[in-house]
Amino acid sequence: MVAIEVSGDAKKVDVKAPGKIKGGLVQMNLKNSSKGPRDAQVIRVEGEQSADDVLKVIMSQGGPIPDWLQDGGGVGETAPGKTGSATQNLAEGKYVLVAAPSEDGEPATAELQVEGGSSEGELPKTSAEIVAREYSFETKGLKSGKNEVLYKNEGQELHHVVGAPMLPGKTLDDVKKFVSEEGGGGRPSGPPPIDFENGFTTAVTDGGIDQVTDLELKKGKYALVCFIQDRKGGPPHVMKGMLAEANVQ
Ligand SMILES: [Cu+2]
C-alpha cells in the first residue's frame, strides 16, 4: 500500500508520498486533507525529464503528449476529508506524482521511484466495469452507493472518465452542446445539464492500463465524458464523440 496525502488550500497544494516503493500490484490511497477535491496522477517518465517537464505537458491544453510520458494512473478526484483508492500494476521506473489544485494554480509534484523485482499481480474482482477506447465508453454493473470499479483503457490513446448525473429531462446532446461551447472557448448558454457537484473523475491512464478504483454513485443516468487529447495533440476526445450515457441501478 502506498499512502499519499495532499493538503493546502484552493490555490496551493502540498503532496506527501514515499520516495521509493516496490512495483507490481500496488494499492494507492489518497488522503485528502485539503479543503477542495484533489487527485493524484501517477505518471511514468522514460528518460531524464523532470517533474517540471511533466507539468509543461499537463498544462499545455491540447498539445502533444510525448512518448517519454508513459503509463499513467493514480487516484482520481477525491472529496475533501476523504480517502480515495486505486489499485493497479506499476512497472519499474521513475514516476512523477501530480496533484492539481481545484482553482487556477500550479499543481504540486513529488518523485516516486518504483523498484522492480515483483511480477504483475491480479486485480481484485469487481462486478462493475468501465471500458474506455477511441472514442467511446462501455459500462456494466454500476450501482448506487460505493462501487469498486474496474476501469480499463483498451485503446491506444490516454483516457480518463469524467462522470456526472444528468439533470432531469436532459440528454447527451445537451451535454455535448454544453461541453463543446465551453471547450471551444465560448460561453456555455444556460445552466449545465449535468450535476458536476455529484460527479467523479478517474485518473488519466494510458492504453493497456487497468485499475480498480472506488466510485461513489447515485441511482440514475450519468453522462461519461473524456477531455484528454490524442498523443499527437488536438481537441479533447469529447469533440470526437467520446461521451456516453451510463445507467446506475
Ligand atoms: Cu479520451
Side-chain angles (χ1 to χ4, degrees):
M1 204 269 286
V2 180
I4 304 165
E5 184 176 3
V6 288
S7 52
D9 56 32
K11 287 178 191 283
K12 197 179 173 310
V13 192
D14 291 305
V15 59
K16 263 194 293 192
K20 203 187 279 181
I21 61 161
K22 197 158 168 283
L25 193 68
V26 175
Q27 181 184 338
M28 293 166 278
N29 284 354
L30 171 65
K31 183 178 175 198
N32 184 356
S33 305
S34 75
K35 296 233 153 46
R38 296 281 181 273
D39 62 355
Q41 295 286 332
V42 172
I43 299 158
R44 187 162 61 85
V45 173
E46 280 186 348
E48 294 310 306
Q49 289 80 10
S50 65
D52 280 347
D53 295 325
V54 172
L55 278 189
K56 270 182 211 141
V57 176
I58 292 176
M59 312 287 268
S60 79
Q61 302 269 351
I65 302 166
D67 282 340
W68 54 258
L69 198 153
Q70 284 288 320
D71 292 356
V75 186
E77 202 170 87
T78 301
K82 302 270 187 193
T83 297
S85 170
T87 301
Q88 69 182 87
N89 279 292
L90 294 179
E92 185 175 13
K94 182 175 99 177
Y95 288 74
V96 173
L97 206 146
V98 180
S102 48
E103 288 173 25
D104 291 345
E106 189 82 341
T109 60
E111 285 203 12
L112 178 67
Q113 193 68 37
V114 175
E115 310 209 305
S118 55
S119 50
E120 291 209 345
E122 209 173 308
L123 286 168
K125 292 261 178 294
T126 68
S127 47
E129 196 176 292
I130 303 178
V131 178
R133 58 173 76 88
E134 293 85 45
Y135 296 98
S136 62
F137 292 108
E138 222 176 287
T139 62
K140 73 171 190 209
L142 300 175
K143 57 177 187 355
S144 67
K146 192 174 171 175
N147 289 245
E148 280 217 305
V149 181
L150 173 63
Y151 164 44
K152 288 167 81 97
N153 182 343
E154 290 188 347
Q156 311 285 324
E157 301 288 347
L158 292 96
H159 299 294
H160 66 168
V161 193
V162 178
M166 287 166 74
L167 294 176
K170 297 298 177 186
T171 64
L172 266 192
D173 278 346
D174 297 324
V175 177
K176 189 169 190 185
K177 187 161 177 279
F178 182 80
V179 296
S180 322
E181 284 166 345
E182 203 173 47
R187 196 162 52 91
S189 47
I194 47 178
D195 174 10
F196 281 112
E197 290 278 297
N198 283 296
F200 66 86
T201 302
T202 69
V204 179
T205 60
D206 228 325
I209 301 286
D210 297 348
Q211 66 162 222
V212 170
T213 190
D214 292 339
L215 295 181
E216 185 82 35
L217 302 173
K218 287 169 43 159
K219 189 174 159 60
K221 281 183 166 53
Y222 271 66
L224 308 181
V225 184
C226 176
F227 292 105
I228 308 301
Q229 70 273 25
D230 282 357
R231 273 200 181 266
K232 64 174 166 37
H237 290 158
V238 62
M239 305 305 284
K240 298 182 166 194
M242 194 161 179
L243 83 166
E245 195 174 295
N247 228 334
V248 176
Q249 298 291 323

